[in-house]
Amino acid sequence: MTDSRLAIIVLAAGQGTRMKSQTPKVLHPLAGVPLIGHVLATARALGPAHVVAVVRHERDRVAEAISALDAHAIIADQDEIPGTGRAVEAALAALPADFDGDVLVVSGDVPLLDAVTLADLVDRHRRHEAAATVLSAVLDDATGYGRIVRNDSGALDRIVEQKDASELERALTEINSGTYVFRSAPLRDKLALVSTDNAAQEKYLTDVIGLLRGDGHSVEALPAGQSWLVAGVNDRVQLSDAALRLNAMIVRGWQLAGVTISDPASVWIDRTVSLDEDAEVLPGTQLKGATSIARGAVVGPETTLVDCEVGEGARVSRTDGTLAVIGAGASVGPFAYLRPGTVIGEKGKVGTFVETKNTTLGAGAKVPHLSYIGDTTVGEGTNIGAGTITANYDGVNKHRTDVGAHARTGSHNVFVAPVRIGDGAYTGAGTVVRKDVPAGALAVNVAPQRNVERWVAANRPGTAAAEAAAAASADTESDPETA
Ligand code: UD1
Ligand code: MG
């Protein structure tokens, strides 16, 4: 349902200097989604009539990411006048001229704030008919934040920035979270009066509070239930703090939804992943992107899957996979590397020390040991011998290998693509398959073995090998059974 009287402004024009990064702060990922993606999703969940994001630093990259995350977000450009107050002015200018509802201001770098907390803030603002309602928090260490200054009767008086605060004000522990609801008309009026006459020489949004108060408007500060909700990400320590907290919530959510995760501290699950009931995730596992895990599948230990689909009851152990589809009841690993385009059929197998790429294995097809299989189709029920390599690259182009159904290829084969091995065909151990093998044929091209008797004695006299050979032949001569 749309709240036609609500607009949400997301501030994202700041530089993020403390991240020390080529990547704009609000684009750093958290649980697989850019910081600003969390904020935009929460904003959208409130059903506002408008979402406006303010950009300036790395304008094009940030604006493009915002549009990709929320196609309906309005992008507003902040000019060269710095400060959160100026940013909000830019956002207000981008709203339809007749909008006169409430404006919720949130920061692009506060990712954990949830829709329930924000909805409560808007609700309280409206019930109290306030001109402004600030979300505050009480912190053990308030360093760096703007402080909430209350009068003798406990009412909100103004907000003072750390840089401009007196010693007494710096001792205050209630801080401004940077999240507010304003009635739009008085906000517009007061922003026009805010100057840059302060320690940072910026147009502070926070100055609006004191101005509204001075005019007799009702302004309030509401402390958040838990301070971590309003924690901002300004450096990479805070980024990992937020990631840890969010991951713990995601893992707990899946546990409550019926997924077994015995060691939550070592399992990382992106916000974009989905798991079915009775899936199990073993220690040291990371599930990323659009990965989905079906019922009864067991993933891990020590497995990283990016954008993978794991079918019902499949088993994936010590595996690194990207853009792979693992069929129901299939078995992968330990120590498998599934590269993009791998599709493993139902009850198929990609075993130990096997790398696959752009390859489809039919139902029940197996590549059990020590192989590289690329640009290949393998029919159902086929077994690829241990140590098989597809020579798929001629130095210029990639070529395909096509193995039929129910084939049995020997150990240590090379399939020199393009090549086709027919249904039910066999290949001998060590075969270098350069020509197509017809259905049902046996392909062998290894030269017949020749044993040169007593070669070691003649060519390597005095070596341990020669002594061992001499001892073996003496045994044979004295053994009546073999004599
Ligand atoms: C701001 C508040 C402070 C509060 C703190 C909470 C002001 C003056 N101060 O301080 O009271 O305790 O947030 O985290 O508002 N931004 C712009 N344009 C700008 C500057 C900033 O869009 O010109 C954006 C930033 O991208 C960021 C947000 O506004 O998303 C806050 O900016 P930041 O520089 O982090 O403000 P603080 O100094 O932390
Ligand atoms: Mg900040």
Side-chain angles (χ1 to χ4, degrees):
M1 229 172 42
T2 304
D3 180 345
S4 63
R5 302 211 27 87
L6 183 66
I8 301 183
I9 296 176
V10 180
L11 302 184
Q15 202 168 342
T17 320
R18 285 167 280 175
M19 291 300 280
K20 301 192 173 149
S21 178
Q22 302 283 319
T23 303
K25 172 164 80 174
V26 294
L27 299 190
H28 277 260
L30 184 70
V33 177
L35 285 179
I36 193 146
H38 295 270
V39 179
L40 289 167
T42 308
R44 233 4 125 183
L46 295 187
H50 314 282
V51 171
V52 186
V54 189
V55 296
R56 178 169 168 84
H57 176 71
E58 292 264 22
R59 190 255 175 232
D60 291 347
R61 268 174 88 182
V62 176
E64 194 181 312
I66 290 169
S67 298
L69 289 157
D70 184 339
H72 299 291
I74 302 166
I75 306 288
D77 283 285
Q78 186 174 351
D79 62 12
E80 65 292 339
I81 299 172
T84 47
R86 188 61 175 175
V88 169
E89 272 186 313
L92 290 171
L95 282 174
D98 62 349
F99 180 81
D100 69 343
D102 297 306
V103 171
L104 170 64
V105 177
V106 295
S107 286
D109 64 351
V110 180
L112 301 184
L113 202 49
D114 63 314
V116 172
T117 303
L118 291 177
D120 285 351
L121 189 74
V122 173
D123 187 51
R124 153 137 171 176
H125 171 81
R126 287 172 173 173
R127 275 187 290 110
H128 289 215
E129 295 182 353
T133 306
V134 182
L135 185 65
S136 69
V138 178
L139 303 185
D140 293 336
D141 180 10
T143 310
Y145 288 93
R147 307 299 203 284
I148 299 290
V149 183
R150 293 178 181 272
N151 64 19
D152 292 342
S153 53
L156 171 60
D157 207 30
R158 60 198 170 87
I159 297 171
V160 62
E161 290 305 298
Q162 161 103 11
K163 284 183 181 164
D164 306 288
S166 68
E167 206 153 321
L168 222 62
E169 288 165 337
R170 285 184 190 196
L172 296 169
T173 55
E174 187 181 3
I175 61 101
N176 165 30
S177 73
T179 304
Y180 329 69
V181 193
F182 296 96
R183 274 214 311 275
S184 55
L187 174 62
R188 281 180 211 268
D189 292 349
K190 295 306 176 216
L191 270 176
L193 305 175
V194 172
S195 76
T196 57
D197 182 16
N198 52 51
Q201 302 206 309
E202 289 184 3
K203 199 161 180 173
Y204 291 158
L205 175 61
T206 46
D207 282 355
V208 167
I209 301 295
L211 290 170
L212 287 170
R213 180 82 188 148
D215 245 12
H217 282 287
S218 155
V219 294
E220 300 188 339
L222 174 69
Q226 282 151 310
S227 57
W228 59 260
L229 282 170
V230 301
V233 173
N234 294 300
D235 58 34
R236 300 198 199 215
V237 175
Q238 291 172 329
L239 180 64
S240 73
D241 286 347
L244 204 59
R245 174 143 336 240
L246 181 56
N247 187 62
M249 292 193 289
I250 292 171
V251 168
R252 188 182 152 79
W254 286 119
Q255 287 174 315
L256 294 174
V259 176
T260 297
I261 301 171
S262 58
D263 181 24
S266 73
V267 169
W268 290 81
I269 303 178
D270 277 357
R271 197 173 157 161
T272 42
V273 167
S274 71
L275 298 104
D276 288 350
E277 265 176 39
D278 286 324
E280 182 169 3
V281 185
L282 299 179
T285 294
Q286 303 184 60
L287 304 178
K288 294 165 162 289
T291 294
S292 65
I293 314 288
R295 178 187 291 269
V298 181
V299 178
E302 308 294 336
T303 292
T304 300
L305 299 181
V306 183
D307 300 329
C308 287
E309 192 182 313
V310 179
E312 210 171 304
R315 181 75 186 85
V316 183
S317 169
R318 295 184 198 277
T319 288
D320 192 307
T322 299
L323 282 166
V325 178
I326 299 163
S331 161
V332 179
F335 308 105
Y337 181 27
L338 308 181
R339 292 168 53 200
T342 296
V343 178
I344 304 170
E346 202 179 314
K347 299 204 173 111
K349 180 182 176 96
V350 169
T352 310
F353 301 111
V354 174
E355 173 180 343
T356 57
K357 186 214 69 175
N358 208 4
T359 283
T360 299
L361 302 186
K366 296 185 166 76
V367 186
H369 325 274
L370 296 158
S371 295
Y372 167 62
I373 305 296
D375 302 311
T376 299
T377 306
V378 179
E380 67 170 56
T382 285
N383 191 84
I384 302 293
T388 294
I389 305 294
T390 50
N392 58 330
Y393 184 48
D394 62 12
V396 181
N397 295 306
K398 300 282 171 68
H399 301 282
R400 293 203 63 89
T401 299
D402 187 2
V403 185
H406 300 289
R408 295 281 177 272
T409 66
S411 298
H412 201 229
N413 278 200
V414 181
F415 300 156
V416 183
V419 75
R420 192 189 138 73
I421 297 169
D423 291 345
Y426 274 55
T427 64
T431 303
V432 178
V433 182
R434 296 178 188 277
K435 292 194 302 196
D436 289 359
V437 182
L442 167 68
V444 280
N445 62 8
V446 177
Q449 180 171 319
R450 191 163 62 96
N451 294 338
V452 182
E453 296 291 341
R454 301 189 55 79
W455 184 91
V456 173
N459 293 280
R460 298 290 184 270
T463 63
E467 276 169 35
S473 59
D475 280 355
T476 313
E477 274 154 28
S478 63
D479 184 347
E481 290 274 319
T482 51

